[in-house]
Amino acid sequence: MRDDDHTDGPDAAAGAAPGEGLDGASFDLSLLLPFQITQLSARLAAQARAILARHGELSLPQWRIIRVVAVGLSNRSTAIRKSAGIDKSQFSRTVNAMVDSGYVTLAPCSEDQRQFEIHLTDKAIAAHARLAPELAARQRHLLNALTPDQREMIFPAIHALARAAETIDFLDNIPDPKD
Amino acid sequence: MRDDDHTDGPDAAAGAAPGEGLDGASFDLSLLLPFQITQLSARLAAQARAILARHGELSLPQWRIIRVVAVGLSNRSTAIRKSAGIDKSQFSRTVNAMVDSGYVTLAPCSEDQRQFEIHLTDKAIAAHARLAPELAARQRHLLNALTPDQREMIFPAIHALARAAETIDFLDNIPDPKD
DNA sequence: CCATCAAGGTGGACATGTCAACCTTTTTCG
DNA sequence: CGAAAAAGGTTGACATGTCCACCTTGATGG
């Protein structure tokens, strides 16, 4: 504990039964969907970093970009950025770091002067060749941990949740008291 | 594009058919489980921040801690930290920030001098009272976006994936070439 | 009892992610 | 056409998350 503060009262306000908190009945954090997904996401990221670390210095965002390009979706900066689901800002810094470390080269984009083309160097192609099989094995490992039923509905469920996460319109019935 | 670099060759190495990338067939990012979950997690966090921002200055990690305490699970620092799933370091800084901004008070822990007790102030209790109903509505909104089948298997699936994300033992068959 | 080791908290350093301001290029539309 | 709006990239600032070294306290085993 930091060497100060800690004033007085515990159970100061709100007449809640001791041991039950402010919510009526017992509360189970494991039923909080966003919380569980956040925790899962963090674990998956740690697992991915562990795999990347076995083969080199690629960071997770760097790998995500290399993967999109390697897969041949596009060489246009914006298309790559959107496929990788990375913020403009982070994308700019990550790509330029990869140029400096020799993973990619850039070329002007003829059709749109604002964008540029990204091309993998041999170094990136070699890294992709080493990493892709391991990450594919991991994907199989993860899907194997699910029952067939779960495998079948996991992607639709993720997609449905992603759409539901886009708005806060459901609060229109519960307006902000400050308004 | 940064005003330098961009050397020569596109399709430099690896005999891949143009337009298909280094993987044989067409590759679908939407089937990459960790990627989809990471994207979903980011959207959920953004949604949560939008809700928190309607009612005050609480950050997402601050809210996670307050929620654990409000729910009455424990007042002991370590128990709270582990329930909230937050790193030691971040927990320390977040709690001390909440002390400074008057959301919690600390008290020495008699049974274990290394830990401390965390108690909510009226300010935190009021914030919890305002936010908890909205976040509960959001939870319902998210679950409503799922079919009954999906609702039933989403938590077990998350749990199974979380366990599968704990190891990289599945790579034992594909040892690191550098070893 | 004492020596060790584990557990807990703090702080520094850094990686990752988000937001906003800004400038350039492209697109839209009057 | 030309002005305004939109899209794209860069940068700074900051929030969040992770890792590590360190110190103190507690638990373990001789």
Side-chain angles (χ1 to χ4, degrees), chain A residues 138-168:
Chain A
R138 176 210 189 199
Q139 166 89 358
R140 288 192 300 273
H141 170 68
L142 291 172
L143 290 177
N144 250 326
L146 299 178
T147 68
D149 282 354
Q150 289 171 341
R151 266 196 293 279
E152 199 152 336
M153 56 60 66
I154 186 72
F155 286 109
I158 289 174
H159 188 255
L161 291 173
R163 277 191 297 103
E166 279 171 350
T167 70
I168 56 172

Side-chain angles (χ1 to χ4, degrees), chain B residues 22-170:
Chain B
L22 308 180
D23 300 296
S26 65
F27 197 85
D28 192 348
L29 294 173
S30 70
L31 297 179
L32 296 182
L33 197 43
F35 177 64
Q36 294 302 316
I37 290 173
T38 294
Q39 298 287 107
L40 173 58
S41 174
R43 285 198 192 191
L44 289 170
Q47 187 184 41
R49 279 195 302 275
I51 295 174
L52 291 179
R54 285 167 54 114
H55 294 289
E57 297 299 311
L58 275 182
S59 72
L60 201 40
Q62 286 173 342
W63 165 253
R64 288 202 286 256
I65 292 172
I66 287 177
R67 180 181 54 196
V68 169
V69 180
V71 136
L73 289 179
S74 171
N75 286 88
R76 303 274 292 266
S77 46
T78 298
I80 296 168
R81 174 169 59 78
K82 293 187 175 174
S83 291
I86 297 179
D87 173 81
K88 274 203 301 184
S89 178
Q90 195 188 356
F91 184 78
S92 172
R93 284 184 259 251
T94 303
V95 167
N96 287 135
M98 285 194 292
V99 170
D100 293 342
S101 48
Y103 282 104
V104 301
T105 58
L106 308 182
C109 180
S110 44
E111 299 111 280
D112 186 341
Q113 298 299 128
R114 295 172 299 180
Q115 299 185 47
F116 50 88
E117 293 179 357
I118 301 180
H119 297 281
L120 302 185
T121 63
D122 290 354
K123 184 177 178 182
I125 293 171
H128 181 268
R130 275 179 287 127
L131 286 165
E134 302 218 348
L135 289 163
R138 174 210 189 200
Q139 166 89 0
R140 289 192 300 274
H141 170 69
L142 292 172
L143 290 176
N144 249 326
L146 300 177
T147 68
D149 283 354
Q150 290 171 341
R151 266 195 294 279
E152 198 152 336
M153 55 65 62
I154 185 74
F155 287 110
I158 289 173
H159 188 254
L161 291 173
R163 278 191 296 102
E166 280 171 350
T167 71
I168 57 173
D169 296 345
F170 56 89

